[in-house]
């Protein structure tokens, strides 16, 4: 049961803030690589922080829950990373090292309780190393794609990914994490609308903040909320959602490029479809599990 | 042991275990005969009941009385799996982040029928001091050679005080808790 005011303050308002932030950022900083990074970083960060407040309230200080760590540490870290990336004065290796630290450190940061209460040191090491490597791989490949080929459609593709994660979180027992995913989805939609006023390459600056929040919500969902009777189902959903952003690379495969490749709307639709397939599979699995559990539990337990 | 000496031993134990007794007695909580249940408003039109199924603890009676109980938050049970899963999620108890709920005595005063406890209740990672009236139900030998004592308590908290403020309105803020605790003398 979502409060009616949330749709306005938790969803539409962040979307508008993102649209305004991205638009003003691109106007003031230009739509080049640096300008796109600054615009998207400011727009998405302000939008998500606003939506977070109207969804989960003020985060606790010091942070205690994973979503508090997400908004107080992971989001600012990702924003700083993107702003450093926007500067020509910061060496690229330093930016990539910081990206590695943030991507690799996201899981230990959000899952500190697992170190002390749920896992042995060996389990923690294995999980954190694996998660860190997987997250960095996806983050790096997405960033590489955005820098080389990023355009307006990138925001739509990430919108599908994040929206799908929101549906999975919502279906898998956490309304709040689902709503926070919807906040980021609305922010991406607002930013995408704003970039339509500029050249296509203005869409490339969204990766770091989007990935920071996306990864934080995915970890929070998988390790704090999803309680499937079969743990493999939760792992499968996690893999599908984390791998989904890699679908953006399909647009540079031989079948998509060249004179014989799809053009115009058809090309955009195919690019979106490639990303949407794993997301749709994940959403269907989560929805089916939720349906089965709810039929066992009764139509409405609220 | 003669009847007289057994009677004297029982009498001594009863005196020592009584609320407000001067000498301390240590007791271990028997989870099979201890119940921690709660009830909360549903939509303002009815009351939903729930309980925690896994707990451990100990208490001491006498002048320096104290009652310490630890509950596994994951064991929350409202007789509806989907609702219990939701209660375990970050929307409510966030049981992976906050696996235990604890009640630790900071001060105990003997009363006519038990104790008045001032205790730290830690729930959802937030610790707050509460006052609980603990009423002694009884005590005596069990059929297996042990000696047991039992207490009841009922108190109210606002879940929002503990950072659990999701869905307030549909699900009430005020939670009534009822504890029935049985301990085996150590």
């Amino acid at each position: 049961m979502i409060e009616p005011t949330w749709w306005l303050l938790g969803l539409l308002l962040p979307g508008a803030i993102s649209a305004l932030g991205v638009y003003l950022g691109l106007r003031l900083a230009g739509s080049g690589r640096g300008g796109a990074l600054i615009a998207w970083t400011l727009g998405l960060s302000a939008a998500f922080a606003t939506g977070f407040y109207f969804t989960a309230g003020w985060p606790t200080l010091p942070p205690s829950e994973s979503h508090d760590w997400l908004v107080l540490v992971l989001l600012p870290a990702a924003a700083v990373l993107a702003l450093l990336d926007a500067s020509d004065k910061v060496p690229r290796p330093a930016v990539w090292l910081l990206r590695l630290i943030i991507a690799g450190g996201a899981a230990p940061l959000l899952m500190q309780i697992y170190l002390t209460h749920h896992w042995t040191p060996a389990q923690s090491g294995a999980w954190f190393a694996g998660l860190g490597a997987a997250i960095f791989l996806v983050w790096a490949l997405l960033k590489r794609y955005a820098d080389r080929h990023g355009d307006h459609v990138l925001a739509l593709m990430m919108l599908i990914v994040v929206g799908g994660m929101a549906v999975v979180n919502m279906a898998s027992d956490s309304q709040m994490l689902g709503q926070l995913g919807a906040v980021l989805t609305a922010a991406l939609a607002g930013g995408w609308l704003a970039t339509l006023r500029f050249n296509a390459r203005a869409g490339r600056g969204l990766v770091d903040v989007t990935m920071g929040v996306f990864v934080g919500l995915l970890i929070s969902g998988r390790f704090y909320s999803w309680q499937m009777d079969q743990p493999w189902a939760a792992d499968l959903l996690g893999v599908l959602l984390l791998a989904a952003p890699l679908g953006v690379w399909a647009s540079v495969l031989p079948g998509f490029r060249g004179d014989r490749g799809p053009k115009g709307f058809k090309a955009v639709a195919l690019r979106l479809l490639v990303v949407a397939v794993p997301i749709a599979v994940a959403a269907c699995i989560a929805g089916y599990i939720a349906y089965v559990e709810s039929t066992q539990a009764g139509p409405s337990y609220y | 042991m003669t009847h007289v000496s057994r009677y004297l031993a029982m009498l001594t134990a009863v005196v020592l275990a009584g609320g407000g007794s001067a000498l301390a007695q240590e007791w271990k909580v028997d989870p099979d005969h201890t119940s921690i249940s709660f009830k909360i408003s549903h939509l303002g039109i009815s009351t939903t009941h729930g309980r925690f199924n896994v707990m451990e603890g100990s208490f001491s009676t006498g002048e320096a009385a104290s009652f310490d109980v630890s509950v596994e938050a994951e064991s929350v049970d409202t007789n509806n799996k989907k609702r219990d899963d939701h209660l375990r999620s970050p929307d409510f108890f966030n049981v992976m982040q906050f696996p235990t709920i604890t009640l630790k005595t900071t001060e105990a005063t003997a009363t006519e029928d038990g104790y008045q406890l001032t205790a730290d209740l830690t729930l959802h990672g937030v610790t707050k001091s509460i006052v609980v009236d603990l009423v002694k139900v009884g005590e005596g030998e069990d059929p297996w050679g042990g000696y047991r004592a039992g207490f009841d308590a009922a108190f109210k908290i606002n879940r929002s005080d503990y950072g659990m403020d999701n869905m307030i309105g549909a699900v009430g803020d005020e939670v009534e808790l009822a504890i029935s605790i049985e301990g085996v003398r150590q």
Side-chain angles (χ1 to χ4, degrees):
Chain A
M1 282 174 284
I2 296 172
E3 294 286 330
T5 53
W6 179 82
W7 297 99
L8 183 66
L9 299 172
L11 204 63
L12 285 178
L13 181 61
I17 288 173
S18 177
L20 188 64
V22 171
Y23 179 80
L24 289 177
L26 290 172
R27 289 281 296 195
L28 297 173
S31 57
R33 182 179 181 279
L37 280 164
I38 292 169
W40 275 102
T41 300
L42 296 180
L44 289 178
S45 301
F48 186 77
T50 305
F52 184 97
Y53 171 75
F54 286 112
T55 302
W58 289 108
T60 56
L61 278 172
S64 59
E65 297 184 77
S66 62
H67 52 275
D68 296 329
W69 286 102
L70 163 60
V71 76
L72 290 175
V73 179
L74 195 52
L75 171 63
V80 168
L81 167 67
L83 293 176
L84 289 175
D85 196 16
S87 169
D88 293 333
K89 294 176 183 169
V90 182
R92 296 301 92 192
V95 173
W96 275 101
L97 179 62
L98 183 58
R99 190 169 286 120
L100 173 64
I101 291 169
I102 294 171
L109 178 74
L110 271 57
M111 298 168 64
Q112 297 163 47
I113 192 72
Y114 274 75
L115 269 170
T116 53
H117 281 76
H118 303 302
W119 286 340
T120 64
Q123 283 177 307
S124 302
W127 268 99
F128 290 155
L131 283 169
I135 291 168
F136 178 70
L137 179 68
V138 174
W139 196 322
L141 286 172
L142 190 62
K143 177 65 183 164
R144 198 81 171 162
Y145 174 87
D147 282 346
R148 290 186 177 184
H149 313 285
D151 58 6
H152 295 316
V153 185
L154 180 60
L156 289 180
M157 291 193 282
M158 289 309 295
L159 186 151
I160 290 172
V161 172
V162 176
M165 180 203 51
V167 170
V168 170
N169 269 337
M170 188 76 81
S172 307
D173 300 319
S174 179
Q175 176 183 303
M176 180 190 61
L177 293 177
Q179 286 176 275
L180 291 176
V183 169
L184 182 59
T185 307
L188 284 166
W192 170 72
L193 283 172
T195 58
L196 295 179
R197 300 276 300 172
F198 299 87
N199 69 63
R201 296 287 280 148
R204 65 186 145 167
L206 58 84
V207 171
D208 288 320
V209 172
T210 301
M211 279 302 289
V213 176
F214 169 70
V215 161
L217 292 175
L218 186 56
I219 289 171
S220 297
R222 168 60 185 85
F223 293 99
Y224 291 101
S225 179
W226 305 351
Q227 298 162 75
M228 284 87 184
D229 291 333
Q230 288 82 23
W232 64 264
D235 290 336
L236 176 62
L237 291 180
V239 169
L240 284 170
L241 290 172
L242 184 59
L246 298 179
V248 299
W249 277 96
S251 65
V252 299
L253 293 175
F256 277 82
R257 291 187 303 170
D259 295 338
R260 305 178 79 178
K263 301 282 186 300
F265 176 78
K266 191 178 175 187
V268 172
L270 278 172
R271 288 171 68 188
L272 297 178
L273 187 65
V274 171
V275 176
V277 167
I279 292 297
V281 171
C284 287
I285 291 172
Y288 176 73
I289 292 171
Y291 169 75
V292 170
E293 289 181 349
S294 64
T295 52
Q296 292 165 352
S300 172
Y301 63 83
Y302 288 112
Chain B
M1 187 182 281
T2 65
H3 287 297
V4 173
S5 59
R6 181 181 292 174
Y7 175 77
L8 285 174
M10 278 178 58
L11 189 64
T12 306
V14 167
V15 169
L16 292 176
S21 299
L23 294 177
Q25 292 279 290
E26 301 297 325
W27 309 77
K28 186 177 183 199
V29 168
D30 173 6
D32 294 331
H33 297 93
T34 294
S35 159
I36 299 174
S37 58
F38 58 88
K39 58 181 180 177
I40 191 164
S41 166
H42 173 237
L43 298 173
I45 58 175
S46 69
T47 306
T48 298
H49 292 246
R51 55 178 288 157
F52 293 95
N53 292 326
V54 181
M55 77 284 292
E56 61 179 17
S58 60
F59 59 91
S60 59
T61 52
E63 198 162 299
S66 71
F67 289 75
D68 296 337
V69 179
S70 175
V71 177
E72 275 190 28
E74 190 175 9
S75 69
V76 64
D77 178 0
T78 63
N79 196 31
N80 182 307
K81 182 186 181 304
K82 193 69 182 158
R83 177 169 57 205
D84 294 343
D85 284 346
H86 192 192
L87 289 172
R88 294 182 186 110
S89 82
D91 288 9
F92 292 97
F93 287 99
N94 199 355
V95 300
M96 296 306 285
Q97 180 69 49
F98 308 113
T100 55
I101 301 165
T102 59
L103 184 74
K104 290 183 187 297
T105 306
T106 55
E107 190 182 340
T109 309
T111 61
E112 198 172 300
D113 55 358
Y115 295 95
Q116 185 176 70
L117 304 181
T118 304
D120 285 340
L121 174 63
T122 301
L123 166 64
H124 195 247
V126 178
T127 301
K128 288 197 173 290
S129 183
I130 60 169
V131 175
V132 180
D133 286 318
L134 210 56
V135 177
K136 187 170 182 179
V137 178
E139 66 177 74
E141 278 191 332
D142 63 28
W144 309 280
Y147 196 84
R148 292 167 181 259
F151 295 84
D152 279 355
F155 57 99
K156 297 175 182 176
I157 60 169
N158 287 328
R159 63 185 177 98
S160 60
D161 292 342
Y162 296 84
M164 294 174 61
D165 48 12
N166 197 25
M167 294 175 70
I168 283 178
V171 183
D173 187 13
E174 185 178 84
V175 186
E176 291 185 51
L177 289 111
I179 298 177
S180 291
I181 189 168
E182 182 173 307
V184 181
R185 198 176 67 204
Q186 300 300 291

